[in-house]
Amino acid sequence: MPLRARSALRRSAAQGTAMAVAAAMAVITGLAAAPAVHASPSATGALRWAPCDDPEEPGAECATLSVPVDWAHPDGPRLDLAVARRKATDPGARVGSMVFGPGGPGDSGVEMVVGSITRFSPEVRGRFDIVSFDPRGVGGSNPVTCSGALLAERPSPELRSQADFDATMAYNRRLRADCRDRTGPVFDHLDTARTVRDVDALRAALGERKLTFHGSSYGTLLGAQYAETYPRRVRAMVLESVMDHSVQATRDFLRAEAATAEDSFQEFVKWCDGAAHCALHGRDVRAVWQSLLARAGRGELEDPAKPGISLSSSGLVNRIAFRKFYEADYGGLATTIARMDASKRLPASSTSIAPLPAATPVFCSDWHLPVRDYKEYASLVAMMNKTAPDLPYLLPIHMVAACLGAPAANPQHRLDVHGAPPILVSNALHDPATGYPWAVSVAQQLGRNGVLLTYEGHGHGSVTSGPCMEDAVDNYLTDLTVPSRGTSCPAVPS
């Protein structure tokens, strides 16, 4: 039966109570306990919901969940996790709560729930309470705090010598010490393995015997490691735009990131060549772009968002292009490039280094990406420039530079999941940040548990990209109907 038809039949028949649905799911999935080594985590008190303080977006409820700073010492210091939810819009057909794992790292799940949850289909919003949280170290959950003056001193990732490399290492040590002093004990407990325990505490506080989870981008690392740690506590799990935490070598990680970014640029050029409404149609798109990069490198390119202020080449790549690649907004990118190309040249000046996300320590604690010395660093930059000649100094090399010398509490490893139900792995063929090969790899690591759903289009995020994708995800989350292996959905015209 076609997915759309099956979805329509399901909606017309969904008149049972939430208790009946929950009971049915218990029969289908079983309720075997996880091994004793992963006993239920200790959270203090029930969630006390109250309206969130946002008059422009009413309807969301907020709460806090107290969890240990260090799960190895549950009686030690604690922190309050900020949590938010929007209740199911169709209470009579409610299945339960669905927890959303934010991306980034550094994205606020609370802001997403309070502001807008349009990233989910009407079917999912109707049948689930959408719940998310600010991960430890982010937003309202004991955010990482550092000296603004020290952050402003961040060295450029464009290292030119061993002296620059050594200076970056020394700066990183000073910054970590400053952030640790200002943030408190949670600073040393920010990795995703700890957040997995937080999510299980949230599951228990929500009264859910099994977790329904949707993780996007960096949130897929959280979901995958939850399934690895608590496989029998998973009801359903969607991993969308997938991080592959098994990539061990720094060179392999950076090459993969450069390749998927360059693929998006090439897709943009191809689209513009064939689309008469592209603002750059009929021109040499790559040549125009390279001229903008050259102007940015000389400090002569005006920032479209800050009149009179120059935009660096890194800002042009990571802020202007990448933002549009994420949204698959090729038309918008072409228009922006055309306007910047026609803009007046600023007097040549030095450009500032864009600040890294405050949650960079989260990334550093999850990824062991060592670089021995300047010689190796320069070879990595050269490799990235060869792989992505149109996108120099992509954000991943900034992250590697910022993590030099940092200890990784939760380093990369291949997934080892046993006893979980089918997990839906969703990715676009042309994702600028989490390349399709990563999704293939994660689905393979999940073995019989992994079911890959392919979106044949573009962008970072795909679960609501057209009726084929939307119905496949809706049926899986609501009814636990798993798409056939090898299911692929056509691209939605832009």
Side-chain angles (χ1 to χ4, degrees):
M1 179 182 295
L3 289 173
R4 176 64 71 182
R6 193 162 64 230
S7 180
L9 285 175
R10 182 186 66 249
R11 283 192 290 269
S12 66
Q15 302 299 322
T17 66
M19 290 180 61
V21 172
M25 294 309 170
V27 171
I28 293 171
T29 62
L31 294 172
V37 68
H38 298 315
S40 294
S42 170
T44 299
L47 292 167
R48 295 179 175 85
W49 298 105
C52 298
D53 186 17
D54 190 336
E56 295 184 4
E57 296 284 352
E61 297 176 313
C62 288
T64 59
L65 179 68
S66 175
V67 297
V69 167
D70 182 356
W71 280 101
H73 299 92
D75 296 326
R78 304 183 75 83
L79 73 138
D80 288 337
L81 294 178
V83 183
R85 77 173 175 185
R86 283 187 182 270
K87 290 185 177 180
T89 59
D90 186 358
R94 180 181 178 274
V95 175
S97 296
M98 184 179 77
V99 175
F100 174 72
D107 290 355
S108 167
V110 169
E111 287 185 4
M112 186 277 294
V113 171
V114 171
S116 173
I117 52 174
T118 55
R119 67 179 304 127
F120 305 115
S121 72
E123 177 82 354
V124 169
R125 297 198 303 272
R127 304 195 65 190
F128 290 93
D129 295 346
I130 307 297
V131 180
S132 195
F133 64 104
D134 288 351
R136 48 177 59 210
V138 173
S141 299
N142 199 150
V144 172
T145 305
C146 311
S147 162
L150 190 54
L151 287 171
E153 297 174 16
R154 183 169 79 91
S156 169
E158 299 184 34
L159 309 183
R160 306 297 184 189
S161 65
Q162 183 62 40
D164 285 352
F165 185 90
D166 294 340
T168 298
M169 292 282 283
Y171 171 83
N172 289 351
R173 286 193 295 271
R174 283 194 296 137
L175 184 62
R176 285 197 300 274
D178 175 86
C179 299
R180 181 180 291 107
D181 288 344
R182 295 171 185 271
T183 304
V186 75
F187 184 83
D188 293 314
H189 303 279
L190 295 173
D191 61 276
T192 295
R194 264 79 165 193
T195 305
V196 163
R197 305 293 297 274
D198 297 342
V199 168
D200 202 46
L202 178 58
R203 173 201 59 78
L206 290 168
E208 299 288 346
R209 297 187 69 181
K210 290 186 178 259
L211 176 71
T212 300
F213 181 89
H214 180 128
S216 181
S217 193
Y218 208 80
T220 64
L221 195 159
L222 173 61
Q225 288 197 215
Y226 184 96
E228 188 175 42
T229 309
Y230 302 108
R232 299 187 187 278
R233 295 181 187 173
V234 176
R235 174 190 166 273
M237 179 174 288
V238 175
L239 305 180
E240 174 195 23
S241 293
V242 189
M243 297 286 297
D244 183 3
H245 200 230
S246 74
V247 180
Q248 293 286 339
T250 307
R251 185 171 297 272
D252 291 342
F253 174 81
L254 292 174
R255 182 185 291 112
E257 289 285 67
T260 195
E262 181 68 16
D263 171 73
S264 284
F265 187 88
Q266 292 174 358
E267 287 293 304
F268 164 62
V269 172
K270 185 191 306 181
W271 171 84
C272 201
D273 287 344
H277 61 284
C278 172
L280 298 170
H281 185 67
R283 300 179 64 184
D284 186 333
V285 176
R286 184 167 278 106
V288 175
W289 176 252
Q290 288 293 337
S291 73
L292 290 184
L293 284 172
R295 285 173 59 186
R298 296 189 297 268
E300 298 174 351
L301 186 64
E302 186 175 55
D303 188 333
K306 301 175 182 177
I309 304 298
S310 64
L311 179 70
S312 69
S313 54
S314 175
L316 178 62
V317 167
N318 294 299
R319 272 184 45 211
I320 303 300
F322 241 69
R323 189 169 297 174
K324 297 298 186 182
F325 289 159
Y326 265 51
E327 302 164 359
D329 183 10
Y330 290 167
L333 178 57
T335 299
T336 299
I337 291 174
R339 288 173 179 167
M340 295 179 76
D341 181 57
S343 67
K344 67 181 186 298
R345 292 177 184 267
L346 297 177
S349 64
S350 60
T351 54
S352 61
I353 304 301
L356 284 170
T360 299
V362 177
F363 180 89
C364 296
S365 66
D366 282 330
W367 293 87
H368 178 61
L369 299 169
V371 183
R372 290 187 303 273
D373 52 23
Y374 168 70
K375 182 178 179 181
E376 183 181 11
Y377 187 87
S379 75
L380 292 170
V381 171
M383 176 274 296
M384 291 189 75
N385 289 342
K386 182 178 180 180
T387 306
D390 298 293
L391 302 168
Y393 285 96
L394 285 159
L395 184 59
I397 194 67
H398 292 244
M399 302 297 282
V400 166
C403 294
L404 290 174
N410 179 41
Q412 303 94 296
H413 65 277
R414 288 187 63 81
L415 289 170
D416 185 18
V417 178
H418 300 283
I423 293 172
L424 192 61
V425 179
S426 168
N427 220 90
L429 282 179
H430 303 287
D431 189 307
T434 55
Y436 186 72
W438 279 3
V440 172
S441 173
V442 168
Q444 290 173 343
Q445 290 171 57
L446 289 169
R448 295 177 61 186
N449 305 107
V451 179
L452 180 61
L453 175 64
T454 301
Y455 174 57
E456 296 170 356
H458 307 78
H460 192 57
S462 56
V463 297
T464 55
S465 297
C468 174
M469 292 293 295
E470 191 169 296
D471 281 353
V473 174
D474 287 356
N475 288 329
Y476 168 72
L477 286 173
T478 58
D479 294 343
L480 303 182
T481 301
V482 182
S484 302
R485 292 187 182 274
T487 295
S488 190
C489 290
V492 177
S494 58

